[in-house]
């Protein structure tokens, strides 16, 4: 009996003592966190969907950036000088003076540098001394010839009267001929000496470096004490020029036009040029020539364009964008306004994906966008010029356009 009782006691389940109930503030904190998470989830579900974009409105460009309807082709290139020279000396020598600085205007034949002329001056002095000696020899030969003349004539008369023998006459004639020959030799020696003086003077003049034409100094390449040579014969540390001079009146534009559109370009065709540094400045220009060869690698043809007006703001190697015109644009009548049909449209640059003369924009239609191709003009201060494909007042998506596609849903954030 006792054994059964002990077995029954072992089969009892011992229950742990009741835990203490948690404080009430713990329940409040837990409930608050749960409500906050629920509110966040509801807010995320109810948040507006779509790619965030800003709105850019297509506007009519100011009158000064108007683009007439005759614009048929756009291209870009650089301002180049048809006449520029790195001026050097004709001889190798040491520079003793440089009279130019960058930006300085020089006239034709103005002295821009001098070389060491000590050797040239010594050679000139020697040549002049030799000329004096030749002149003296010529004077002596002239005196001898003048004296031999009367003696010869007298002997000639005496021979005719048979006063002297033929042998005596022959001796007098030989002396006369020798005097005449000596005079001719002395005269030729004077000519040689004078040529030597002229040569020495030319060598001395070559120590002076002059501007070959009027222009502006763009590079100063040599300093006093350096050696210069036209062919760098003095070694690796010898300069080949004193400086570079550019004739600013010879500035023009060189652009590469795709061979697919070269048929739109003709000589003397009117052109509007805009420097990248002054996009709001329309410069009248014209086509000078179409270079009659194509670049096989780039499939382009080079076109030379001349400016109709000169300006100090136009500098060599500046980037420029040109618009080829079908006809010369006519100026509006005084007191009249240019119609919007004759004016370019401009948009914010971040609303256009440009690729050369064409681009892509996304037109806003409610919460969707429509992808549209447009024809682009120059980049001006007012924005990106659009030549075709849009109407004034159209609303475009602006921002990161790489995330958009035709028909994409968007939401305006500005």
């Amino acid at each position: 009996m006792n054994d059964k009782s002990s077995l029954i006691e072992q089969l009892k389940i011992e229950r742990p003592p009741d835990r203490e109930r948690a404080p009430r503030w713990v329940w409040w904190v837990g409930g608050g966190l749960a409500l906050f998470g629920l509110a966040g989830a509801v807010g995320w579900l109810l948040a507006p969907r779509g790619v965030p974009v800003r709105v850019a409105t297509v506007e009519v460009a100011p009158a000064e950036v108007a683009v007439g309807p005759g614009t048929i082709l756009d291209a870009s290139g650089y301002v180049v000088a048809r006449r520029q020279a790195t001026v050097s000396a004709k001889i190798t020598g040491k520079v003793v003076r440089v009279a130019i600085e960058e930006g300085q205007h020089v006239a034709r034949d103005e002295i821009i540098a001098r070389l060491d002329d000590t050797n040239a001056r010594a050679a000139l002095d020697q040549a002049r001394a030799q000329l004096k000696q030749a002149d003296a020899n010529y004077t002596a030969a002239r005196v001898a010839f003048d004296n031999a003349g009367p003696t010869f004539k007298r002997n000639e008369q005496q021979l005719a009267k048979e006063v002297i023998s033929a042998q005596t006459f022959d001796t007098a004639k030989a002396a006369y001929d020798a005097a005449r020959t000596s005079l001719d030799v002395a005269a030729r020696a004077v000519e040689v000496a004078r040529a030597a003086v002229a040569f020495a003077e030319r060598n001395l003049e070559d120590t002076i470096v002059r501007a070959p034409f009027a222009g502006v100094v763009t590079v100063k390449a040599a300093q006093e004490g350096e050696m210069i040579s036209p062919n760098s014969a003095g070694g690796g540390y010898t300069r080949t020029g004193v400086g570079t001079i550019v004739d600013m009146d010879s500035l023009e534009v060189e652009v590469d036009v795709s061979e697919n559109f070269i048929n739109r370009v003709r000589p003397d065709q009117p052109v509007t040029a805009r420097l990248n540094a002054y996009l709001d400045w329309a410069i009248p220009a014209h086509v000078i020539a179409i270079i009659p060869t194509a670049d096989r690698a780039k499939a382009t043809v080079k076109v030379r364009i001349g400016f109709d007006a000169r300006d100090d703001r136009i500098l060599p190697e500046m980037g420029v964008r040109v618009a080829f015109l079908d006809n010369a644009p006519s100026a509006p009548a005084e007191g009249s306004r240019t119609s919007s049909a004759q004016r370019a449209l401009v948009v914010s640059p971040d609303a256009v994906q440009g690729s050369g003369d064409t681009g892509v924009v996304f037109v806003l239609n409610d919460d969707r966008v429509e992808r549209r191709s447009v024809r682009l003009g120059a980049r001006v201060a007012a924005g990106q010029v659009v030549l075709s494909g849009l109407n004034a007042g159209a609303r475009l998506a602006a921002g990161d356009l790489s995330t958009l596609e035709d028909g994409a849903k968007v939401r305006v954030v500005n």
Side-chain angles (χ1 to χ4, degrees), residues 126-151:
Q126 182 182 18
R128 287 173 175 172
Q130 292 173 344
L131 175 60
K132 291 180 179 179
Q133 182 182 5
D135 285 336
N137 293 336
Y138 176 77
T139 301
R142 168 61 67 180
V143 171
F145 176 74
D146 291 343
N147 292 333
T151 302

Side-chain angles (χ1 to χ4, degrees), residues 2-39:
N2 294 333
D3 293 337
K4 292 181 179 180
S5 298
S6 63
L7 290 174
I8 292 173
E9 290 293 335
Q10 294 179 4
L11 293 175
K12 290 182 178 179
I13 298 176
E14 296 182 359
R15 297 182 180 274
D18 294 340
R19 297 180 179 177
E20 295 183 1
R21 176 176 284 183
R24 181 171 296 179
W25 64 270
V26 175
W27 293 99
W28 282 106
V29 172
L33 292 175
L35 290 175
F36 183 77
L38 180 60

Side-chain angles (χ1 to χ4, degrees), residues 25-350:
W25 64 270
V26 175
W27 293 99
W28 282 106
V29 172
L33 292 175
L35 290 175
F36 183 77
L38 180 60
V42 173
W44 180 81
L45 292 174
L46 297 179
R49 298 302 179 87
V51 180
V53 296
R54 292 180 291 104
V55 176
T57 304
V58 180
E59 299 178 352
V60 177
E64 60 270 16
V65 295
V67 177
T71 301
I72 59 174
L73 180 65
D74 290 336
S76 59
Y78 295 93
V79 178
V80 298
R82 293 295 296 177
R83 186 162 69 158
Q84 67 176 4
T86 298
V87 184
S88 181
K90 294 172 61 177
I91 61 175
T92 300
K94 183 176 73 173
V95 180
V96 296
R97 179 178 175 235
V98 179
I100 57 173
E101 295 292 340
E102 290 88 346
Q104 176 181 341
H105 290 260
V106 295
R108 180 183 176 87
D109 294 330
E110 181 179 343
I111 296 176
I112 63 175
R114 290 182 180 272
L115 306 184
D116 183 10
D117 60 357
T118 53
N119 292 342
R121 288 188 179 278
L124 178 59
D125 293 341
Q126 182 182 18
R128 287 173 175 172
Q130 292 173 344
L131 175 60
K132 291 180 179 179
Q133 182 182 5
D135 285 336
N137 293 336
Y138 176 77
T139 301
R142 168 61 67 180
V143 171
F145 176 74
D146 291 343
N147 292 333
T151 302
F152 172 73
K153 290 181 179 180
R154 185 168 53 252
N155 289 335
E156 190 176 29
Q157 293 173 357
Q158 290 176 352
L159 177 64
K161 296 178 181 181
E162 297 182 353
V163 175
I164 60 174
S165 64
Q167 182 179 1
T168 302
F169 176 76
D170 290 341
T171 301
K173 184 177 184 303
Y176 176 77
D177 291 341
R180 183 172 57 186
T181 301
S182 297
L183 180 62
D184 291 340
V185 171
R188 302 291 83 77
V190 171
E191 292 179 1
V192 172
R194 287 176 178 171
V197 171
F199 181 74
E201 289 175 344
R202 182 70 266 172
N203 286 339
L204 180 62
E205 179 65 21
D206 288 342
T207 63
I208 302 175
V209 183
R210 300 179 182 272
F213 50 81
V216 178
V217 179
T218 59
V219 177
K220 179 182 178 181
Q223 299 291 342
E224 287 83 352
E226 291 184 325
M227 295 292 294
I228 65 170
S229 173
N231 54 6
S232 192
Y237 293 99
T238 301
R239 301 283 187 181
T240 56
V242 176
T244 300
I245 298 177
V246 175
D247 181 4
M248 292 300 181
D249 290 335
S250 70
L251 294 182
E252 61 183 40
V253 177
E254 287 187 355
V255 298
D256 290 331
V257 177
S258 173
E259 61 183 20
N260 297 330
F261 304 109
I262 195 62
N263 58 338
R264 303 182 184 180
V265 182
R266 66 182 186 279
D268 297 325
Q269 181 177 2
V271 173
T272 298
R274 296 181 186 275
L275 299 174
N276 292 346
Y278 307 98
L279 291 176
D280 57 346
W281 178 29
I283 309 172
H286 64 279
V287 175
I288 297 177
I290 303 171
I291 307 303
T293 184
D295 188 320
R296 180 187 301 180
K298 298 188 294 184
T300 58
V301 177
K302 184 171 293 185
V303 178
R304 292 175 51 202
I305 297 173
F307 294 105
D308 293 341
R310 304 295 177 184
D311 195 283
D312 293 338
R313 290 173 289 179
I314 305 175
L315 302 177
E317 306 305 322
M318 272 188 165
V320 60
R321 190 173 183 88
V322 299
F324 295 89
L325 307 178
D326 189 15
N327 295 305
S330 57
E334 184 177 358
S336 64
R337 294 185 178 181
T338 305
S339 65
S340 60
Q342 296 175 327
R343 299 261 289 274
L345 301 177
V346 292
V347 298
S348 175
D350 60 354

